[in-house]
Structure formats: structure tokens, C-alpha cells
């Protein structure tokens, strides 16, 4: 836990707390804006983003033979965007789907591979 990490570094204020034996159950609420903290960490190069790019490896004949499934199935539309240039979250936005729906369509398929790419530390939309 975060309290344990603070104790191990000697930052805990709890009485009787020694490194490795934390008596605090949690740190005091600091009212931290998580969004601003993540943005700060990205700008200062403390965090990196890992993006997942699906690539459809089946033949064009297999893709053409794919028939649209039931109304809830988005397989053909998702696979059409699995060319290695679109990340999973980008595909979800383009098709107006949840990320979990896109993941369900590509996971477990033998004809789709996922390439994980870690963004350079401190990269932004303007400076990838």
C-alpha cells in the first residue's frame, strides 16, 4: 500500500511506525486532484503510456467471408480497423464502443496479434 511505501522510506508520521512495520492503515486524505497529478507526472516524465495496437493477420478472403453476426456483434467493423495504426482506445472511439467491447472482439482470436508500444516519457499529443 501507499502507507507501507511511505513507512519504508521513513516518511510516515504514525507513532510506533518503523520501516517495514507500518501501523498506519492509510495516509491522511490529501485532497489530490488525480487528473492533475497524472498530467503532471506525464509532463515531468514520471509516467509512460502503454498503447495496444491490434493487427489482423488473416487473409483478405477470410475477412471478406466474414458475415455480419447478430446485432450486438461488431467483429467485422473492429477487424477492419486492426491494421496496426490504430490503438484499441482509438478503435473504440471511432466505432463509438466501450474499450471492453473492442477488447472482447480481439482477445482470444488467433488471427489478431497485439503490439504493445510504450510512449516515450514526457510525450504529449503535440510532441509524440
Amino acid at each position: 500500500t501507499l502507507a507501507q511505501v511511505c513507512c519504508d522510506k521513513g516518511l510516515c508520521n504514525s507513532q510506533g511506525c518503523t520501516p517495514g512495520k507500518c501501523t498506519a492503515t492509510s495516509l491522511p486524505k490529501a485532497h489530490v486532484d488525480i487528473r492533475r497529478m497524472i498530467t503532471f507526472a506525464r509532463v515531468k516524465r514520471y509516467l509512460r503510456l502503454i498503447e495496444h495496437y491490434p493487427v489482423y493477420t488473416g487473409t483478405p478472403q477470410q475477412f471478406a467471408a466474414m458475415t455480419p453476426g447478430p446485432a450486438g456483434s461488431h467483429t467485422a467493423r473492429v477487424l477492419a480497423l486492426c491494421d496496426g495504426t490504430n490503438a484499441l482506445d482509438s478503435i473504440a472511439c471511432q466505432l463509438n464502443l466501450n474499450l471492453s467491447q473492442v477488447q472482447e472482439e480481439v482477445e482470444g482470436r488467433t488471427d489478431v496479434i497485439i503490439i504493445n508500444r510504450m510512449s516515450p516519457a514526457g510525450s504529449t499529443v503535440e510532441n509524440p
Side-chain angles (χ1 to χ4, degrees), residues 98-128:
N98 292 333
L99 182 59
S100 59
Q101 289 174 308
V102 175
Q103 288 172 332
E104 287 173 5
E105 295 293 340
V106 298
E107 285 180 357
R109 295 186 62 99
T110 58
D111 55 357
V112 175
I113 60 171
I114 305 290
I115 299 172
N116 299 316
R117 178 181 177 265
M118 186 181 324
S119 67
S123 64
T124 61
V125 175
E126 298 83 22
N127 182 21

mmCIF file of all heavy atoms in Angstrom, residues 98-128:
data_model
loop_
_atom_site.group_PDB
_atom_site.id
_atom_site.type_symbol
_atom_site.label_atom_id
_atom_site.label_comp_id
_atom_site.label_asym_id
_atom_site.label_seq_id
_atom_site.Cartn_x
_atom_site.Cartn_y
_atom_site.Cartn_z
ATOM 1 N N ASN A 98 -17.439 0.786 -26.167
ATOM 2 C CA ASN A 98 -16.624 0.764 -24.954
ATOM 3 C C ASN A 98 -15.316 0.047 -25.260
ATOM 4 O O ASN A 98 -15.266 -0.838 -26.120
ATOM 5 C CB ASN A 98 -17.327 0.007 -23.824
ATOM 6 C CG ASN A 98 -18.545 0.730 -23.328
ATOM 7 O OD1 ASN A 98 -18.634 1.947 -23.418
ATOM 8 N ND2 ASN A 98 -19.490 -0.028 -22.818
ATOM 9 N N LEU A 99 -14.272 0.395 -24.528
ATOM 10 C CA LEU A 99 -12.989 -0.276 -24.701
ATOM 11 C C LEU A 99 -13.132 -1.766 -24.427
ATOM 12 O O LEU A 99 -12.547 -2.593 -25.118
ATOM 13 C CB LEU A 99 -11.929 0.351 -23.790
ATOM 14 C CG LEU A 99 -10.533 -0.221 -23.891
ATOM 15 C CD1 LEU A 99 -9.984 -0.098 -25.306
ATOM 16 C CD2 LEU A 99 -9.606 0.478 -22.907
ATOM 17 N N SER A 100 -13.948 -2.128 -23.442
ATOM 18 C CA SER A 100 -14.131 -3.546 -23.117
ATOM 19 C C SER A 100 -14.798 -4.299 -24.271
ATOM 20 O O SER A 100 -14.479 -5.462 -24.521
ATOM 21 C CB SER A 100 -14.946 -3.702 -21.840
ATOM 22 O OG SER A 100 -16.208 -3.106 -21.986
ATOM 23 N N GLN A 101 -15.691 -3.651 -25.017
ATOM 24 C CA GLN A 101 -16.322 -4.298 -26.166
ATOM 25 C C GLN A 101 -15.287 -4.582 -27.257
ATOM 26 O O GLN A 101 -15.302 -5.656 -27.866
ATOM 27 C CB GLN A 101 -17.438 -3.423 -26.738
ATOM 28 C CG GLN A 101 -18.661 -3.329 -25.855
ATOM 29 C CD GLN A 101 -19.658 -2.338 -26.406
ATOM 30 O OE1 GLN A 101 -19.308 -1.203 -26.690
ATOM 31 N NE2 GLN A 101 -20.905 -2.782 -26.559
ATOM 32 N N VAL A 102 -14.393 -3.635 -27.497
ATOM 33 C CA VAL A 102 -13.356 -3.825 -28.510
ATOM 34 C C VAL A 102 -12.401 -4.933 -28.065
ATOM 35 O O VAL A 102 -12.010 -5.792 -28.867
ATOM 36 C CB VAL A 102 -12.604 -2.508 -28.781
ATOM 37 C CG1 VAL A 102 -11.448 -2.726 -29.738
ATOM 38 C CG2 VAL A 102 -13.552 -1.450 -29.324
ATOM 39 N N GLN A 103 -12.034 -4.925 -26.794
ATOM 40 C CA GLN A 103 -11.138 -5.961 -26.283
ATOM 41 C C GLN A 103 -11.765 -7.343 -26.421
ATOM 42 O O GLN A 103 -11.084 -8.307 -26.769
ATOM 43 C CB GLN A 103 -10.778 -5.682 -24.826
ATOM 44 C CG GLN A 103 -9.842 -4.514 -24.660
ATOM 45 C CD GLN A 103 -9.629 -4.123 -23.205
ATOM 46 O OE1 GLN A 103 -10.504 -4.335 -22.367
ATOM 47 N NE2 GLN A 103 -8.485 -3.540 -22.918
ATOM 48 N N GLU A 104 -13.058 -7.471 -26.162
ATOM 49 C CA GLU A 104 -13.743 -8.752 -26.297
ATOM 50 C C GLU A 104 -13.690 -9.252 -27.738
ATOM 51 O O GLU A 104 -13.591 -10.453 -27.975
ATOM 52 C CB GLU A 104 -15.201 -8.632 -25.851
ATOM 53 C CG GLU A 104 -15.375 -8.506 -24.363
ATOM 54 C CD GLU A 104 -16.816 -8.217 -23.963
ATOM 55 O OE1 GLU A 104 -17.699 -8.211 -24.865
ATOM 56 O OE2 GLU A 104 -17.053 -7.982 -22.784
ATOM 57 N N GLU A 105 -13.766 -8.336 -28.700
ATOM 58 C CA GLU A 105 -13.757 -8.726 -30.109
ATOM 59 C C GLU A 105 -12.397 -9.246 -30.559
ATOM 60 O O GLU A 105 -12.321 -10.116 -31.412
ATOM 61 C CB GLU A 105 -14.172 -7.552 -31.002
ATOM 62 C CG GLU A 105 -15.596 -7.092 -30.805
ATOM 63 C CD GLU A 105 -16.637 -8.106 -31.251
ATOM 64 O OE1 GLU A 105 -16.311 -9.007 -32.044
ATOM 65 O OE2 GLU A 105 -17.784 -7.985 -30.796
ATOM 66 N N VAL A 106 -11.306 -8.713 -30.004
ATOM 67 C CA VAL A 106 -9.977 -9.094 -30.482
ATOM 68 C C VAL A 106 -9.286 -10.140 -29.615
ATOM 69 O O VAL A 106 -8.436 -10.871 -30.101
ATOM 70 C CB VAL A 106 -9.040 -7.871 -30.650
ATOM 71 C CG1 VAL A 106 -9.601 -6.914 -31.675
ATOM 72 C CG2 VAL A 106 -8.786 -7.175 -29.343
ATOM 73 N N GLU A 107 -9.650 -10.231 -28.336
ATOM 74 C CA GLU A 107 -8.999 -11.196 -27.450
ATOM 75 C C GLU A 107 -9.411 -12.615 -27.798
ATOM 76 O O GLU A 107 -10.557 -12.879 -28.143
ATOM 77 C CB GLU A 107 -9.348 -10.906 -25.986
ATOM 78 C CG GLU A 107 -8.618 -9.722 -25.432
ATOM 79 C CD GLU A 107 -8.979 -9.447 -23.990
ATOM 80 O OE1 GLU A 107 -9.837 -10.147 -23.420
ATOM 81 O OE2 GLU A 107 -8.402 -8.511 -23.436
ATOM 82 N N GLY A 108 -8.462 -13.510 -27.737
ATOM 83 C CA GLY A 108 -8.737 -14.911 -27.981
ATOM 84 C C GLY A 108 -8.756 -15.294 -29.453
ATOM 85 O O GLY A 108 -8.899 -16.461 -29.782
ATOM 86 N N ARG A 109 -8.636 -14.336 -30.333
ATOM 87 C CA ARG A 109 -8.607 -14.644 -31.772
ATOM 88 C C ARG A 109 -7.188 -15.016 -32.167
ATOM 89 O O ARG A 109 -6.233 -14.356 -31.783
ATOM 90 C CB ARG A 109 -9.074 -13.452 -32.594
ATOM 91 C CG ARG A 109 -10.537 -13.079 -32.365
ATOM 92 C CD ARG A 109 -10.953 -12.001 -33.325
ATOM 93 N NE ARG A 109 -10.865 -12.443 -34.700
ATOM 94 C CZ ARG A 109 -11.886 -12.881 -35.422
ATOM 95 N NH1 ARG A 109 -13.076 -12.953 -34.881
ATOM 96 N NH2 ARG A 109 -11.717 -13.257 -36.665
ATOM 97 N N THR A 110 -7.069 -16.060 -32.966
ATOM 98 C CA THR A 110 -5.734 -16.482 -33.418
ATOM 99 C C THR A 110 -5.256 -15.661 -34.609
ATOM 100 O O THR A 110 -4.074 -15.679 -34.929
ATOM 101 C CB THR A 110 -5.744 -17.972 -33.799
ATOM 102 O OG1 THR A 110 -6.723 -18.182 -34.819
ATOM 103 C CG2 THR A 110 -6.054 -18.829 -32.578
ATOM 104 N N ASP A 111 -6.176 -14.922 -35.253
ATOM 105 C CA ASP A 111 -5.791 -14.133 -36.416
ATOM 106 C C ASP A 111 -5.560 -12.654 -36.082
ATOM 107 O O ASP A 111 -5.441 -11.822 -36.966
ATOM 108 C CB ASP A 111 -6.834 -14.259 -37.530
ATOM 109 C CG ASP A 111 -8.236 -13.891 -37.064
ATOM 110 O OD1 ASP A 111 -8.410 -13.592 -35.873
ATOM 111 O OD2 ASP A 111 -9.149 -13.920 -37.901
ATOM 112 N N VAL A 112 -5.465 -12.330 -34.795
ATOM 113 C CA VAL A 112 -5.170 -10.959 -34.361
ATOM 114 C C VAL A 112 -4.018 -11.007 -33.363
ATOM 115 O O VAL A 112 -4.059 -11.769 -32.397
ATOM 116 C CB VAL A 112 -6.397 -10.284 -33.703
ATOM 117 C CG1 VAL A 112 -6.043 -8.916 -33.148
ATOM 118 C CG2 VAL A 112 -7.538 -10.171 -34.694
ATOM 119 N N ILE A 113 -2.998 -10.221 -33.632
ATOM 120 C CA ILE A 113 -1.907 -10.086 -32.666
ATOM 121 C C ILE A 113 -1.948 -8.670 -32.111
ATOM 122 O O ILE A 113 -2.402 -7.743 -32.776
ATOM 123 C CB ILE A 113 -0.527 -10.401 -33.284
ATOM 124 C CG1 ILE A 113 -0.221 -9.457 -34.439
ATOM 125 C CG2 ILE A 113 -0.428 -11.830 -33.723
ATOM 126 C CD1 ILE A 113 1.202 -9.560 -34.942
ATOM 127 N N ILE A 114 -1.483 -8.519 -30.880
ATOM 128 C CA ILE A 114 -1.479 -7.223 -30.215
ATOM 129 C C ILE A 114 -0.032 -6.765 -30.060
ATOM 130 O O ILE A 114 0.798 -7.483 -29.524
ATOM 131 C CB ILE A 114 -2.138 -7.291 -28.822
ATOM 132 C CG1 ILE A 114 -3.546 -7.862 -28.899
ATOM 133 C CG2 ILE A 114 -2.132 -5.920 -28.151
ATOM 134 C CD1 ILE A 114 -4.566 -6.979 -29.559
ATOM 135 N N ILE A 115 0.249 -5.573 -30.552
ATOM 136 C CA ILE A 115 1.567 -4.969 -30.392
ATOM 137 C C ILE A 115 1.450 -3.911 -29.306
ATOM 138 O O ILE A 115 0.630 -3.002 -29.407
ATOM 139 C CB ILE A 115 2.055 -4.341 -31.706
ATOM 140 C CG1 ILE A 115 2.178 -5.410 -32.793
ATOM 141 C CG2 ILE A 115 3.377 -3.618 -31.496
ATOM 142 C CD1 ILE A 115 2.465 -4.875 -34.163
ATOM 143 N N ASN A 116 2.258 -4.047 -28.256
ATOM 144 C CA ASN A 116 2.258 -3.083 -27.162
ATOM 145 C C ASN A 116 3.380 -2.082 -27.400
ATOM 146 O O ASN A 116 4.521 -2.465 -27.600
ATOM 147 C CB ASN A 116 2.461 -3.776 -25.820
ATOM 148 C CG ASN A 116 1.349 -4.756 -25.541
ATOM 149 O OD1 ASN A 116 0.193 -4.453 -25.747
ATOM 150 N ND2 ASN A 116 1.701 -5.942 -25.097
ATOM 151 N N ARG A 117 3.042 -0.800 -27.361
ATOM 152 C CA ARG A 117 4.024 0.251 -27.582
ATOM 153 C C ARG A 117 3.999 1.206 -26.399
ATOM 154 O O ARG A 117 2.952 1.738 -26.039
ATOM 155 C CB ARG A 117 3.711 1.022 -28.861
ATOM 156 C CG ARG A 117 4.669 2.155 -29.125
ATOM 157 C CD ARG A 117 4.293 2.894 -30.408
ATOM 158 N NE ARG A 117 5.166 4.013 -30.620
ATOM 159 C CZ ARG A 117 4.893 5.254 -30.254
ATOM 160 N NH1 ARG A 117 3.762 5.537 -29.652
ATOM 161 N NH2 ARG A 117 5.740 6.223 -30.487
ATOM 162 N N MET A 118 5.157 1.430 -25.803
ATOM 163 C CA MET A 118 5.261 2.367 -24.705
ATOM 164 C C MET A 118 5.646 3.727 -25.271
ATOM 165 O O MET A 118 6.622 3.849 -26.012
ATOM 166 C CB MET A 118 6.322 1.927 -23.695
ATOM 167 C CG MET A 118 6.355 2.805 -22.472
ATOM 168 S SD MET A 118 7.607 2.373 -21.241
ATOM 169 C CE MET A 118 7.671 0.639 -21.281
ATOM 170 N N SER A 119 4.856 4.734 -24.936
ATOM 171 C CA SER A 119 5.164 6.064 -25.426
ATOM 172 C C SER A 119 6.434 6.559 -24.744
ATOM 173 O O SER A 119 6.716 6.197 -23.600
ATOM 174 C CB SER A 119 4.009 7.031 -25.135
ATOM 175 O OG SER A 119 3.884 7.234 -23.747
ATOM 176 N N PRO A 120 7.208 7.388 -25.438
ATOM 177 C CA PRO A 120 8.396 7.956 -24.790
ATOM 178 C C PRO A 120 7.982 8.781 -23.581
ATOM 179 O O PRO A 120 6.909 9.391 -23.577
ATOM 180 C CB PRO A 120 9.007 8.846 -25.873
ATOM 181 C CG PRO A 120 8.398 8.396 -27.146
ATOM 182 C CD PRO A 120 7.073 7.814 -26.805
ATOM 183 N N ALA A 121 8.800 8.797 -22.562
ATOM 184 C CA ALA A 121 8.476 9.547 -21.351
ATOM 185 C C ALA A 121 8.303 11.009 -21.694
ATOM 186 O O ALA A 121 9.110 11.595 -22.411
ATOM 187 C CB ALA A 121 9.567 9.380 -20.316
ATOM 188 N N GLY A 122 7.247 11.595 -21.186
ATOM 189 C CA GLY A 122 7.023 13.015 -21.366
ATOM 190 C C GLY A 122 6.417 13.381 -22.693
ATOM 191 O O GLY A 122 6.263 14.552 -23.002
ATOM 192 N N SER A 123 6.028 12.396 -23.517
ATOM 193 C CA SER A 123 5.451 12.735 -24.806
ATOM 194 C C SER A 123 4.033 13.270 -24.606
ATOM 195 O O SER A 123 3.339 12.930 -23.668
ATOM 196 C CB SER A 123 5.432 11.528 -25.717
ATOM 197 O OG SER A 123 4.592 10.534 -25.204
ATOM 198 N N THR A 124 3.635 14.121 -25.495
ATOM 199 C CA THR A 124 2.310 14.697 -25.457
ATOM 200 C C THR A 124 1.697 14.556 -26.844
ATOM 201 O O THR A 124 2.343 14.071 -27.777
ATOM 202 C CB THR A 124 2.358 16.194 -25.084
ATOM 203 O OG1 THR A 124 3.112 16.893 -26.084
ATOM 204 C CG2 THR A 124 2.989 16.395 -23.722
ATOM 205 N N VAL A 125 0.476 15.010 -27.004
ATOM 206 C CA VAL A 125 -0.167 14.947 -28.303
ATOM 207 C C VAL A 125 0.612 15.781 -29.317
ATOM 208 O O VAL A 125 0.798 15.384 -30.455
ATOM 209 C CB VAL A 125 -1.629 15.448 -28.206
ATOM 210 C CG1 VAL A 125 -2.277 15.513 -29.566
ATOM 211 C CG2 VAL A 125 -2.417 14.556 -27.266
ATOM 212 N N GLU A 126 1.113 16.945 -28.885
ATOM 213 C CA GLU A 126 1.854 17.812 -29.778
ATOM 214 C C GLU A 126 3.262 17.291 -30.036
ATOM 215 O O GLU A 126 3.863 17.565 -31.060
ATOM 216 C CB GLU A 126 1.966 19.228 -29.192
ATOM 217 C CG GLU A 126 0.640 19.931 -28.996
ATOM 218 C CD GLU A 126 -0.056 19.544 -27.699
ATOM 219 O OE1 GLU A 126 0.648 19.075 -26.758
ATOM 220 O OE2 GLU A 126 -1.275 19.666 -27.633
ATOM 221 N N ASN A 127 3.833 16.538 -29.072
ATOM 222 C CA ASN A 127 5.193 16.055 -29.168
ATOM 223 C C ASN A 127 5.234 14.553 -28.871
ATOM 224 O O ASN A 127 5.547 14.168 -27.763
ATOM 225 C CB ASN A 127 6.089 16.826 -28.180
ATOM 226 C CG ASN A 127 7.523 16.407 -28.256
ATOM 227 O OD1 ASN A 127 7.957 15.847 -29.245
ATOM 228 N ND2 ASN A 127 8.274 16.664 -27.201
ATOM 229 N N PRO A 128 4.877 13.694 -29.871
ATOM 230 C CA PRO A 128 4.785 12.253 -29.590
ATOM 231 C C PRO A 128 6.089 11.580 -29.315
ATOM 232 O O PRO A 128 7.133 11.935 -29.532
ATOM 233 C CB PRO A 128 4.145 11.697 -30.852
ATOM 234 C CG PRO A 128 4.146 12.752 -31.871
ATOM 235 C CD PRO A 128 4.491 14.037 -31.206
#
